[in-house]
């Protein structure tokens, strides 16, 4: 069985996308979603005014729903 890999991205309101390469990727979908939530919480705590957000994506580039 081939496992899909998931990665975490920071997205700006202008569409700039930055891969968080230091976080690495995971084959666990729920873990990727949890990581994105965690980074969003930390970002909001440190900079409540920012419109940037973190998302989890699969290796095809599709965003995983965090809700």
């Amino acid at each position: 069985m081939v496992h899909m890999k998931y990665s975490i991205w920071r997205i700006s309101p202008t569409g700039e996308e930055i891969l968080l390469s230091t976080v690495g990727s995971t084959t666990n979908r729920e873990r990727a979603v949890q990581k994105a939530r965690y980074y969003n919480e930390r970002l909001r705590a440190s900079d409540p005014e920012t419109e940037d957000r973190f998302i989890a994506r699969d290796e095809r580039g599709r965003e995983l729903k965090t809700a």
Side-chain angles (χ1 to χ4, degrees):
M1 180 177 186
V2 177
H3 292 284
M4 180 77 69
K5 288 186 180 178
Y6 306 98
S7 54
I8 308 300
W9 294 75
R10 184 173 179 160
I11 310 295
S12 76
T14 60
E16 182 179 3
E17 302 178 351
I18 301 169
L19 172 63
L20 295 187
S21 58
T22 58
V23 175
S25 61
T26 181
T27 56
N28 183 308
R29 180 185 181 100
E30 186 55 36
R31 180 72 182 124
V33 170
Q34 288 173 351
K35 280 184 181 182
R37 282 189 193 130
Y38 170 76
Y39 282 108
N40 279 315
E41 289 170 7
R42 286 187 55 196
L43 180 61
R44 297 293 171 261
S46 67
D47 187 1
E49 301 298 315
T50 188
E51 293 182 28
D52 285 13
R53 63 190 181 103
F54 290 96
I55 64 167
R57 283 190 173 153
D58 67 19
E59 58 193 21
R60 294 183 185 138
R62 294 180 299 202
E63 181 177 344
L64 304 179
K65 299 300 175 194
T66 57

